[in-house]
Amino acid sequence: MASSFTRVISGRNTAVMLAMGAGTLTSGYLLSDNMEAAERRRLYPPSADFPDLRKHNNCMASALTPGIYARLSDKTTPNNWTLDQCIQTGVDNPGHPFIKTVGMVAGDEETYEVFAELFDPVIKDRHNGYDPRTMKHPTDLDASKITSGFFDERYVLSSRVRTGRSIRGLSLPPACTRSERREVERVVVTALAGLKGDLSGRYYSLGDMTEREQQQLIDEHFLFDKPVSPLLTAAGMARDWPDARGIWHNNEKNFLIWINEEDHTRVISMEKGGNMKRVFERFCRGLKQVEHLIQERGWEFMWNERLGYILTCPSNLGTGLRAGVHIRLPLLSKDARFKKILDNLRLQKRGTGGVDTAATGDTFDISNLDRLGKSEVELVQLVIDGVNYLIECEKRLERGQDIKIPSPVPQFRK
Amino acid sequence: MEKISDKMVKLTLKRLSAEDEYPDLSQHNNYMAKVLTQDMYKKLRERATPSGFTIDGVIQTGVDNPGHPFIMTVGCVAGDEETYEVFKDLLDPVIEDRHGGYKPTDKHKTDLNSGNLKGGDDLDPNYVLSSRVRTGRSIRGFSLPPHCSRGERRAVEKLSIEALASLSGDLKGKYYALKNMTDAEQQQLIDDHFLFDKPVSPLLLASGMARDWPDARGIWHNDNKTFLVWVNEEDHLRVISMQKGGNMKEVFTRFCTGLTKIESLFKERSHEFMWNEHLGYVLTCPSNLGTGLRAGVHVKLPNLSKNTKFEEVLKKLRLQKRGTGGVDTAAVGGVFDISNADRLGFSEVELVQMVVDGVKLLVDMEKRLEKGQSIDDLMPAQK
């Protein structure tokens, strides 16, 4: 093993010396002529490059075998995105014994096809057994189907629905060039300028913002900043910050779009209080109008029937939807059954600062766990029914009555 | 073959115009931003080094880190040896600006003969607490940390371990791979001030050199703990000679002997260091070209450092001050890290000589100020 490795090294040196001697110095080093890079990479067998994942706990590390790596390491998407680039974030971030992160990202729409041999098992692992090879993802943005979407505002402080959308034909944030990123900004901002009525609004580019505008957006909890999480920075999505990043929101400040953060766009509908039905209705209406406006100019969102809406992180495939509330549950949150109740309702709790924050006091962010395999309407209904159940439990505990753990919500429709 | 060139053409066609790709450097203050015009970017984006490194790779760290109004960072890195050739339109003016007017036609002298150093064995240990010399070396034929694959990085580590294992006498030592270290070993290395950790500086992270941490990274040091090699941090190798007290001559002698021995061990294995007569030793950051050498002391200068002439003296002596935690740290208790400001255009011996002579003068000035005497007659001429 050692001797063949040494031969590889000296073989590489010979190739380098020949290349340096022969045409390279006179060729002008043109990118379009560059065959050598691919050949040089092949001097190292995949086993020499296979990452050391022994201390890792993420979906990528669980799924990646030397065999898969060997078969995929030579491939590229049409945008020249490689497997190493997909998995870099998972290699650089071994993860936490209690929290299993995904550990890989897509650089473009084709990533999910070209590297399907690795993405499919990761998707299955992350999305409760959803099999992209055999199953279809339902998309349903008809908000009229929602029932009982008005929460008791003694408990629910605010309601919010978010998703992401990617513009087909342009690379995703880990891979995009500056010009692609600027093109995303142009396409989306132009479309948003066409929104009317309660959806009409304004764009604030991160780089051009005044201090006053910045403070205003912070106070409204709208502003996003350069990511600090190594999970995100290792994926390369923070390059060239703050170039072509910005925030658009309507004048009523309840419909908001982030441009070029972790995804091309993140679309958010939110308001104080418990009217989740209205939040979702505005969400669907806004999304459809934006889609229509970009289609008028010849663009569309990345979507297919296996994976639904295509986003940077495999965890956001399908609906990309997180519907949630900020809710006070002082008694229930201290009950030993709280976690199990949430699990069975397919709900997740977070702190009120969002992912990876702690709850302040008794107020929690409660939202759907799932993204793929159920439609938007199904997930929002699930959150509504689940939150209503939690409120019922809280009220019962207030009255000194006992509560029950509900039976688990069924998984995918077959 | 056809398939690859098809992909390449598609890649070239799909890429939007240079105007659309050119970074927004309007808020930036680094050497790269000063030099890179849209026309230059347009020309350079058509090129790539043989290992596939492009202009975007060179400049990413400078785009992501606009810099500071007072501190001028370099803002660009090399991905391999050929970077300095392929992107010379950008790197030559950056080098000229950073290295005091060093021209593309200038030649750099290498001199690792410690016998040529005059004095340096008697810096006053009441003031000079420790002496240290460091440099970097890159192994020809392998990509540099911003660009290297895991296979290349591991190959660099393997070669380095083999070469270092052959050192003997007072240079005999042991390698500690970062990923295999025990807690006890780790604590010992921290206590010895030897351990390097995953970089946190965004200047370094943005260049991609921390990928796959801690794979193939490690520290080698001799049993006497006076000679130390870092493997695969910001450069392939960083070589450090250090000891307590003011005997810089001894530190430099060990440095030269050790480096020369390591180089010959690599040559025995058919490898050499990246070096050429224009740029000297080739390293990841253009600021470290030439000698890559930083010779310095930790020295007590509580009075002199408060004197209004301190900065001027350092400038005339071609010296630089840092805090005792290294670059970007503050001085603690009047103790400063004083080292040479230059890297390129002077030989190793010349730079260490500057440090030895300069520190001697600084200590003399400190002693004068302690006694309440003037230092005006000691003011040096510009070196």
Side-chain angles (χ1 to χ4, degrees):
Chain A
M1 182 65 185
S3 56
S4 62
F5 191 44
T6 324
R7 269 206 299 280
V8 164
I9 299 171
S10 49
R12 193 181 185 284
N13 270 350
T14 317
V16 170
M17 289 193 284
L18 284 177
M20 291 289 279
T24 323
L25 286 170
T26 54
S27 75
Y29 298 105
L30 292 177
L31 175 60
S32 50
D33 285 349
N34 192 297
M35 310 302 167
E36 209 179 318
E39 284 162 25
R40 282 194 177 199
R41 269 199 302 276
R42 260 177 243 121
L43 288 168
Y44 286 82
S47 55
D49 278 320
F50 187 73
D52 182 352
L53 300 172
R54 288 171 297 172
K55 298 208 172 95
H56 288 58
N57 181 41
N58 56 51
C59 298
M60 178 278 291
S62 299
L64 185 67
T65 64
I68 294 177
Y69 186 78
R71 283 188 291 278
L72 297 180
S73 61
D74 246 355
K75 297 191 172 186
T76 63
T77 68
N79 297 304
N80 235 35
W81 185 249
T82 64
L83 180 71
D84 279 336
Q85 287 168 308
C86 289
I87 67 173
Q88 190 67 60
T89 178
V91 176
D92 287 349
N93 295 291
H96 192 274
F98 305 156
I99 304 168
K100 200 164 187 189
T101 46
V102 175
M104 58 200 281
V105 292
D108 51 25
E109 189 166 8
E110 295 85 346
T111 297
Y112 289 101
E113 262 322 301
V114 174
F115 303 112
E117 198 183 344
L118 180 60
F119 275 86
D120 285 351
V122 166
I123 288 167
K124 215 167 176 176
D125 187 5
R126 178 63 180 217
H127 294 284
N128 315 302
Y130 184 88
D131 184 356
R133 293 293 121 203
T134 58
M135 293 161 89
K136 290 211 199 320
H137 169 80
T139 292
D140 186 356
L141 286 160
D142 181 358
S144 67
K145 295 179 180 161
I146 297 295
T147 63
S148 358
F150 199 113
F151 301 121
D152 187 332
E153 289 180 341
R154 287 173 296 171
Y155 302 90
V156 173
L157 308 175
S158 60
S159 308
R160 179 184 188 267
V161 181
R162 70 88 160 150
T163 188
R165 290 289 185 265
S166 310
I167 310 293
R168 177 162 278 162
L170 296 167
S171 301
L172 297 169
C176 65
T177 63
R178 278 181 291 274
S179 60
E180 288 184 288
R181 198 186 297 114
R182 291 164 179 173
E183 187 69 6
V184 168
E185 188 188 34
R186 256 197 299 273
V187 169
V188 177
V189 170
T190 307
L192 295 171
L195 289 174
K196 299 196 186 355
D198 71 316
L199 291 179
S200 77
R202 213 201 114 166
Y203 181 65
Y204 302 82
S205 140
L206 239 61
D208 296 341
M209 224 175 259
T210 66
E211 296 227 349
R212 222 155 132 265
E213 287 167 340
Q214 189 177 20
Q215 195 51 51
Q216 183 69 40
L217 288 165
I218 291 174
D219 295 339
E220 286 157 351
H221 307 288
F222 283 175
L223 189 63
F224 67 89
D225 208 353
K226 181 170 181 178
V228 292
S229 164
L231 298 174
L232 297 176
T233 53
M237 45 147 290
R239 286 169 302 127
D240 315 314
W241 204 275
D243 197 315
R245 272 83 168 193
I247 291 169
W248 179 98
H249 70 76
N250 66 349
N251 299 328
E252 305 203 357
K253 299 186 182 177
N254 51 28
F255 190 65
L256 164 67
I257 298 185
W258 290 354
I259 294 179
N260 286 318
E261 196 238 7
E262 180 184 330
D263 282 294
H264 283 172
T265 67
R266 285 286 178 96
V267 179
I268 301 151
S269 171
M270 62 201 261
E271 62 184 65
K272 291 233 179 295
N275 197 341
M276 179 61 92
K277 183 163 167 113
R278 184 167 65 198
V279 168
F280 185 55
E281 178 276 325
R282 184 173 51 245
F283 175 83
C284 295
R285 188 163 45 91
L287 266 177
K288 288 196 199 112
Q289 285 187 25
V290 172
E291 181 160 26
H292 181 71
L293 286 162
I294 65 167
Q295 279 169 344
E296 275 178 359
R297 289 166 181 78
W299 297 91
E300 48 183 25
F301 292 142
M302 293 184 194
W303 180 94
N304 68 54
E305 52 172 19
R306 293 185 312 118
L307 297 175
Y309 289 100
I310 304 293
L311 294 174
T312 301
C313 182
S315 70
N316 281 322
L317 288 166
T319 60
L321 185 135
R322 194 170 91 84
V325 297
H326 281 188
I327 181 171
R328 283 183 50 254
L329 297 169
L331 298 174
L332 181 58
S333 59
K334 295 189 190 59
D335 192 292
R337 294 163 286 188
F338 186 39
K339 187 171 186 321
K340 185 76 178 131
I341 293 173
L342 288 175
D343 283 349
N344 282 7
L345 293 173
R346 303 297 307 160
L347 296 176
Q348 179 190 55
K349 78 176 198 294
R350 299 182 180 191
T352 48
V355 69
D356 299 330
T357 65
T360 47
D362 311 309
T363 308
F364 292 86
D365 174 321
I366 303 286
S367 64
N368 52 297
L369 262 173
D370 304 314
R371 305 267 183 272
L372 174 66
K374 290 191 170 136
S375 74
E376 289 82 353
V377 164
E378 284 176 295
L379 289 175
V380 173
Q381 193 63 60
L382 182 150
V383 170
I384 288 169
D385 296 342
V387 168
N388 279 330
Y389 191 90
L390 296 175
I391 292 172
E392 238 346 275
C393 288
E394 182 72 21
K395 285 174 172 169
R396 290 179 72 88
L397 290 172
E398 279 172 15
R399 298 192 289 261
Q401 291 170 324
D402 198 18
I403 58 174
K404 264 187 2 202
I405 297 174
S407 31
V409 165
Q411 281 303 342
F412 312 115
R413 327 182 238 155
K414 294 292 173 207
Chain B
M1 220 30 184
E2 218 164 82
K3 219 174 158 191
I4 298 173
S5 58
D6 275 356
K7 276 200 199 134
M8 279 299 171
V9 167
K10 200 170 173 179
L11 181 67
T12 320
L13 279 179
K14 181 195 110 71
R15 287 160 74 228
L16 302 170
S17 72
E19 287 76 27
D20 282 323
E21 280 298 354
Y22 180 66
D24 179 353
L25 301 172
S26 53
Q27 313 289 333
H28 287 57
N29 183 44
N30 56 51
Y31 287 112
M32 178 278 292
K34 268 177 87 174
V35 170
L36 187 70
T37 61
Q38 192 168 108
D39 283 339
M40 187 188 287
Y41 180 75
K42 197 168 179 171
K43 180 177 170 200
L44 294 179
R45 77 193 268 273
E46 298 310 312
R47 314 179 118 209
T49 68
S51 74
F53 201 57
T54 61
I55 186 64
D56 285 331
V58 174
I59 66 174
Q60 191 66 59
T61 179
V63 176
D64 287 349
N65 296 289
H68 193 275
F70 305 155
I71 303 168
M72 195 76 159
T73 47
V74 175
C76 50
V77 292
D80 51 26
E81 189 167 10
E82 296 86 343
T83 299
Y84 289 101
E85 195 45 49
V86 176
F87 301 107
K88 63 197 319 332
D89 288 6
L90 169 66
L91 292 171
D92 280 351
V94 166
I95 289 167
E96 188 162 348
D97 204 354
R98 175 65 181 216
H99 291 283
Y102 193 80
K103 303 229 171 328
T105 48
D106 286 343
K107 301 240 183 303
H108 171 81
K109 253 187 338 222
T110 293
D111 181 1
L112 282 161
N113 186 343
S114 60
N116 291 338
L117 182 71
K118 299 189 194 36
D121 54 351
D122 60 351
L123 297 174
D124 190 337
N126 293 312
Y127 295 84
V128 178
L129 307 176
S130 60
S131 308
R132 179 186 189 265
V133 182
R134 69 86 158 151
T135 187
R137 291 290 186 264
S138 309
I139 305 178
R140 181 161 277 164
F142 296 92
S143 299
L144 296 171
H147 185 49
C148 66
S149 65
R150 278 182 293 274
E152 285 185 288
R153 199 186 298 114
R154 290 162 179 172
V156 166
E157 186 194 32
K158 190 165 192 294
L159 281 169
S160 305
I161 293 174
E162 278 172 18
L164 294 167
S166 308
L167 289 172
S168 59
D170 76 317
L171 292 178
K172 185 167 107 52
K174 194 182 151 183
Y175 182 71
Y176 302 85
L178 244 58
K179 68 180 180 187
N180 292 337
M181 228 173 256
T182 66
D183 280 351
E185 286 169 339
Q186 190 177 19
Q187 194 52 51
Q188 185 62 52
L189 287 165
I190 291 173
D191 296 339
D192 292 330
H193 304 288
F194 282 176
L195 188 65
F196 67 89
D197 208 352
K198 181 169 181 177
V200 293
S201 163
L203 298 174
L204 297 176
L205 294 176
S207 73
M209 47 147 288
R211 287 169 301 128
D212 316 312
W213 202 275
D215 197 316
R217 272 83 168 190
I219 291 170
W220 178 97
H221 70 76
N222 66 349
D223 297 335
N224 295 341
K225 297 189 182 179
T226 53
F227 193 67
L228 167 66
V229 178
W230 291 354
V231 179
N232 286 319
E233 196 237 11
E234 180 184 330
D235 283 295
H236 285 168
L237 303 172
R238 283 287 178 97
V239 179
I240 302 152
S241 170
M242 60 201 261
Q243 67 194 50
K244 291 229 182 294
N247 195 341
M248 181 60 93
K249 173 117 184 168
E250 193 170 74
V251 169
F252 187 53
T253 304
R254 183 185 315 113
F255 176 82
C256 295
T257 310
L259 260 181
T260 313
K261 190 87 189 94
I262 292 173
E263 183 160 21
S264 68
L265 288 166
F266 272 101
K267 287 214 168 108
E268 279 174 21
R269 290 160 179 77
S270 310
H271 287 89
E272 47 184 19
F273 292 146
M274 292 184 194
W275 180 93
N276 64 61
E277 50 170 22
H278 166 51
L279 294 178
Y281 289 101
V282 175
L283 294 175
T284 301
C285 182
S287 70
N288 280 321
L289 290 166
T291 60
L293 185 135
R294 193 170 91 84
V297 298
H298 282 187
V299 58
K300 286 199 270 205
L301 299 171
N303 293 294
L304 182 58
S305 57
K306 294 196 197 70
N307 190 289
T308 50
K309 296 227 164 40
F310 187 39
E311 298 291 338
E312 192 195 326
V313 171
L314 289 175
K315 195 154 185 286
K316 292 221 156 84
L317 295 173
R318 306 193 73 90
L319 297 177
Q320 180 190 61
K321 75 177 199 291
R322 298 182 181 190
T324 48
V327 68
D328 299 332
T329 65
V332 171
V335 180
F336 287 81
D337 174 322
I338 302 290
S339 63
N340 52 297
D342 303 300
R343 305 271 182 270
L344 175 65
F346 299 92
S347 74
E348 288 81 353
V349 166
E350 285 172 330
L351 290 175
V352 178
Q353 193 71 63
M354 271 188 231
V355 173
V356 159
D357 297 345
V359 169
K360 221 165 182 192
L361 181 63
L362 293 175
V363 171
D364 286 344
M365 286 181 163
E366 179 67 23
K367 287 173 173 170
R368 286 278 191 94
L369 291 173
E370 268 175 28
K371 291 186 253 181
Q373 291 167 350
S374 153
I375 53 171
D376 290 344
D377 60 308
L378 291 178
M379 289 299 288
Q382 179 66 54
K383 277 198 175 297

